[in-house]
Every structure is written in structure tokens, then in C-alpha cells.
Amino acid sequence: MRRLIMLTFALGAVMALPVTSGIAGNGNGQAKNLAAKQCKAEKKADKAAFKATYGPKHAMRTCIKGEKPEIKDELRNASQECRDERSADPDLFQETYGGNALGGENSHGGGKNAFGKCVSTKVRAEIQEEVAEFKNAAQECRDERSADADAFKETYGTNAPGGENAQGAKKNAFGKCVKTKVHAAEDGE
């Protein structure tokens, strides 16, 4: 009987472990989901630039892997901004972000997720801005390439391992251009 009780408690503890670890997550899943959304939006904005920037194979995976750390930082920064905003004026914060219940503000649970709404609003705005930067960078690179293709390849292309005359030499110029202009736009903020 004693063994049965011990076994039951041990089994209960093992079953509860995934639930508690899921609750106390570190935000990796949220960052990955947001990175995937951003990458999907970039791909939709300009498919050719997306493939040129992130590679012809596994472009989405490469994009998500590259954007995830940046999204984590954005989540962290947005959380801090929302904390500061909430502590500065709690009533205005609640009024701005608090209306989430179906039955209105006075219904059960009304305004309980103001902090989450604040963070998601700020992160969404940041992602939209980055997608716009990507789209603008791709257009700038297209314009630059059409103005002088040889100078464009010299400026942004890197040689293939087989040398300048090898197959594929300077083929990555467009992707390098987009990446360079996006990073320049991010650094200018």
C-alpha cells in the first residue's frame, strides 16, 4: 500500500512537470512565432529580395533563425517600456490598453490584459517598421542595380571560391545590398 501511494505521488509529480515548465517559459516560442510572422511578411513584400537575402534553400528557416534574437530584444524592450508607462500613469495605461473583455470594461476580466496588449502593440509596430525597411531596401537596391549593373556587382558582390571568373561569381550582390541597407536603416534609428 505504501509503495502504491509513493508511486502515485511520483507519477503525479512527473505529469505536472511539463505543465509547470510550460508556464515558466522563457519566451522562446513567442519570439519564434513573431520572427516567423516577420519573415512571412518580408517574403510577401518582396519574394526575390527575400530569397536573395536569406538564400535559395531554407530561406524561411534562415530568416527565422536570424530574426529570433532581435525579436527577443524587442519583446524585452517593449516590456520595459510598458512597465515604465504603467508606473508613470496607471489610469491612462489602463484606459489605453485595458479594454479586452467582450462584455465591456465592467464585465468579468475586463482590462486584465492591458500589459500584454501594450507589449504586443509595441512589438507589432516594430515588426511592421522592419518589414517596411526591408521592402524599401529591396527597392533601393533594384534601382541601384538598374542604374549601373557592373558597379552594383563590384560594390556588393563577393567572389565565388573559384575566383572572379568562376560560375556564380558576384551572384549574391542583390542579397548583400538588401542586407547592408536594412542594417544601415536599423543602425540609423
Side-chain angles (χ1 to χ4, degrees), residues 43-100:
K43 183 177 180 181
K44 186 177 179 183
D46 195 327
K47 192 171 185 175
F50 184 80
K51 278 192 167 188
T53 304
Y54 297 109
K57 290 185 177 182
H58 310 296
M60 186 61 76
R61 182 180 356 171
T62 304
C63 177
I64 292 170
K65 192 175 181 181
E67 294 296 331
K68 194 168 125 180
E70 191 176 316
I71 297 284
K72 277 183 163 181
D73 288 342
E74 289 171 11
L75 281 167
R76 202 172 299 118
N77 292 340
S79 285
Q80 189 57 49
E81 287 175 20
C82 290
R83 274 189 205 94
D84 295 343
E85 198 174 325
R86 183 176 60 189
S87 64
D89 190 353
D91 293 332
L92 179 63
F93 183 82
Q94 191 65 29
E95 185 180 315
T96 305
Y97 301 107
N100 67 339

Side-chain angles (χ1 to χ4, degrees), residues 42-43 45-53 130-146 152 173-182 185:
E42 286 179 5
K43 183 177 180 181
D46 195 327
K47 192 171 185 175
F50 184 80
K51 278 192 167 188
T53 304
E130 288 178 11
V131 170
E133 287 173 1
F134 181 82
K135 192 174 180 178
N136 292 339
Q139 188 58 50
E140 287 176 25
C141 291
R142 260 194 203 87
D143 295 343
E144 198 173 326
R145 182 177 61 186
S146 64
F152 181 80
F174 187 68
K176 295 268 185 185
C177 175
V178 172
K179 201 176 278 188
T180 301
K181 292 197 182 289
V182 167

Side-chain angles (χ1 to χ4, degrees), residues 95-145:
E95 185 180 315
T96 305
Y97 301 107
N100 67 339
L102 294 175
E105 198 64 37
N106 296 327
S107 66
H108 181 70
K112 294 290 184 187
N113 196 21
F115 187 78
K117 278 190 170 187
C118 175
V119 171
S120 67
T121 301
K122 290 182 184 303
V123 171
R124 249 191 237 121
E126 190 70 32
I127 287 173
Q128 287 174 345
E129 186 179 310
E130 288 178 11
V131 170
E133 287 173 1
F134 181 82
K135 192 174 180 178
N136 292 339
Q139 188 58 50
E140 287 176 25
C141 291
R142 260 194 203 87
D143 295 343
E144 198 173 326
R145 182 177 61 186

